[in-house]
Amino acid sequence: MIHAIVLAGLTASQISTIESSVRARMAAAQIPSVVVRIDRDGKNIYAHAFGYRDMADRVPANVDTRFQYGSITKQFTGAAILTLVEDGKLSLDDRVGKWLPQFAKFPITIRQLLVHTSGVADYTGELWYLHKDYTNPFVGSGPLLEWSASQKLEFVPGTKTVYDNAAYTMLARIVERASKESFFSYLQQRFFKPLGMTSVAPQTFYKIEPNTARGYMIIDNKDTSTAYGLPLDPRALLPSMAWNMEQVDGAGYLVGDAADLQKWDNALLAGRVFKGVGAKLFHEPGMLTNGKPTYTGPENPAHKPGVYLLGGLGNFLVDDVSVYGANGGTSGFLSFTATIPSKHISITTLSNHGADLNNSLLTLPIMRALLH
């Protein structure tokens, strides 16, 4: 297995900064493994695997290790919708109820689902879901979306931006209805096979595939008395609970390696994903009814946050340089992939540690090393 690839294109100083920052973040946050891959002009110039994909057996990660992509999946869902727009099979301004009758009572559009302005109730943030269905292998997205349809909208559509996993699970169902194919089959035929993305597949619940990382998370033990007669570590790194990602397929169920995400990013940079209006729409910012962009966080006079785009990703600035990308997070995994068009660069980081870590502490030093 290959653990590092360094080709001409990065300076010794850039490589040192990248590797020292990754190792420092891993030590500070107890991250078992990280894979970093960087391409320029569609060619790989750096790939490195750090740490262990399986802590129990001390199995090192390698540059081809597969990780859960999490919400990076949303880019493929968004792109699928936009190819269906190109094919004339649906419109972004279609009412969702046209495709999903249980939501017909709501005045929401496909466009609003894409940029998180629909107001649809998101089951993934509910305590009953986390306590009951989160790890259930026998519950798919169907009954969970029925719950969302039975709730009131959380706000008037188009007036607020609130991140919504259920919206992207709904979009996956719309892809199926409009294409008359299963969701993954559509992604496979439209994107993965043409781009040579051979590692990407849906998550397999309760099964670790070959060369696939195991997820971990920190458990905060408030009571450090004893368990089985032994003291509890107040910050214990433990295997994460398996999340049945089929319940949020369009929002985050893909698994794959860093090279495949780079193939995707490089195809986006080269304009090879879409054949028409989809290329423009993919990077188009969402807009609220008051004319403001769909910001990814609170608007600040000193610093505007990123903006959600129709393609299921965001646009943000790193030291005044425009970056298109997204984080992903599941139970035990954090991911990031982005393009920097002005530098002809794409970058992916994958790690097997979840539990609400701040992924920017890993990714920003790498991006800044590339920009300066």
Side-chain angles (χ1 to χ4, degrees):
M1 294 292 185
I2 297 174
H3 301 284
I5 301 170
V6 181
L7 303 174
L10 293 180
T11 66
S13 176
Q14 286 175 313
I15 294 169
S16 176
T17 297
I18 290 168
E19 294 185 359
S20 61
S21 69
V22 170
R23 291 192 174 100
R25 181 59 184 152
M26 289 176 69
Q30 300 186 53
I31 302 173
S33 71
V34 172
V35 171
V36 180
R37 188 177 175 102
I38 301 164
D39 291 10
R40 181 182 286 127
D41 293 319
K43 296 180 180 179
N44 182 233
I45 59 172
Y46 180 87
H48 198 116
F50 305 79
Y52 298 94
R53 65 175 173 85
D54 186 325
M55 294 291 286
D57 295 324
R58 306 297 282 180
V59 181
N62 57 72
V63 296
D64 299 314
T65 295
R66 299 165 73 249
F67 294 74
Q68 290 187 18
Y69 287 167
S71 286
I72 289 174
T73 301
K74 290 182 173 70
Q75 292 186 47
F76 300 107
T77 307
I81 289 290
L82 297 180
T83 57
L84 291 166
V85 170
E86 288 185 332
D87 293 345
K89 294 184 177 180
L90 55 74
S91 166
L92 294 184
D93 296 317
D94 282 348
R95 286 286 188 96
V96 171
K98 173 181 177 180
W99 300 100
L100 304 176
Q102 66 269 48
F103 291 92
K105 63 184 177 182
F106 298 136
I108 56 177
T109 64
I110 291 175
R111 184 188 302 270
Q112 289 166 337
L113 293 180
L114 288 168
V115 292
H116 306 283
T117 63
S118 70
V120 168
D122 184 2
Y123 50 87
T124 65
E126 298 292 321
L127 285 177
W128 61 262
Y129 171 71
L130 298 174
H131 291 160
K132 177 186 173 186
D133 292 323
Y134 175 77
T135 61
N136 193 330
F138 303 106
V139 175
S141 64
L144 299 169
L145 289 180
E146 291 296 335
W147 177 86
S148 292
S150 72
Q151 306 300 299
K152 294 180 180 179
L153 293 180
E154 296 183 346
F155 52 85
V156 176
T159 62
K160 293 175 67 175
T161 310
V162 178
Y163 195 79
D164 195 330
N165 286 310
Y168 270 77
T169 313
M170 293 164 63
L171 287 165
R173 303 287 75 75
I174 293 173
V175 169
E176 292 179 332
R177 298 281 175 89
S179 69
K180 296 181 172 56
E181 294 184 50
S182 73
F183 179 57
F184 183 75
S185 175
Y186 188 83
L187 298 183
Q188 183 87 323
Q189 299 305 318
R190 197 71 186 236
F191 305 130
F192 302 153
K193 283 187 176 180
L195 296 178
M197 298 171 65
T198 57
S199 77
V200 182
Q203 176 222 30
T204 50
F205 191 53
Y206 280 151
K207 181 182 179 183
I208 300 294
E209 300 286 355
N211 199 21
T212 299
R214 186 172 187 177
Y216 295 87
M217 60 196 306
I218 293 285
I219 304 298
D220 279 309
N221 294 310
K222 306 299 183 184
D223 177 9
T224 58
S225 55
T226 60
Y228 304 104
L230 299 173
L232 287 174
D233 185 336
R235 295 277 296 166
L237 181 71
L238 299 173
S240 61
M241 294 181 66
W243 181 0
N244 179 8
M245 299 300 292
E246 183 187 351
Q247 298 166 353
V248 287
D249 54 357
Y253 85 148
L254 293 178
V255 179
D257 64 18
D260 274 357
L261 285 178
Q262 293 295 90
K263 290 173 185 176
W264 172 250
D265 287 341
N266 293 337
L268 288 170
L269 282 172
R272 293 188 288 112
V273 173
F274 302 99
K275 61 185 180 183
V277 69
K280 175 180 178 295
L281 291 174
F282 189 81
H283 295 102
E284 184 174 303
M287 301 295 290
L288 298 176
T289 51
N290 63 8
K292 287 191 174 185
T294 49
Y295 290 125
T296 60
E299 190 175 356
N300 184 314
H303 175 72
K304 287 185 177 180
V307 178
Y308 289 119
L309 309 177
L310 290 173
L313 68 167
N315 178 219
F316 54 95
L317 296 176
V318 175
D319 297 342
D320 296 322
V321 176
S322 183
V323 177
Y324 294 91
N327 289 295
T330 67
S331 179
F333 295 88
L334 282 174
S335 58
F336 175 77
T337 197
T339 61
I340 309 175
S342 64
K343 304 293 184 180
H344 308 282
I345 285 174
S346 61
I347 174 176
T348 292
T349 68
L350 300 174
S351 64
N352 57 337
H353 191 320
D356 299 320
L357 288 182
N358 184 349
N359 208 27
S360 66
L361 296 176
L362 172 68
T363 60
L364 281 177
I366 299 173
M367 285 188 283
R368 288 187 168 125
L370 298 173
L371 295 175
H372 302 292

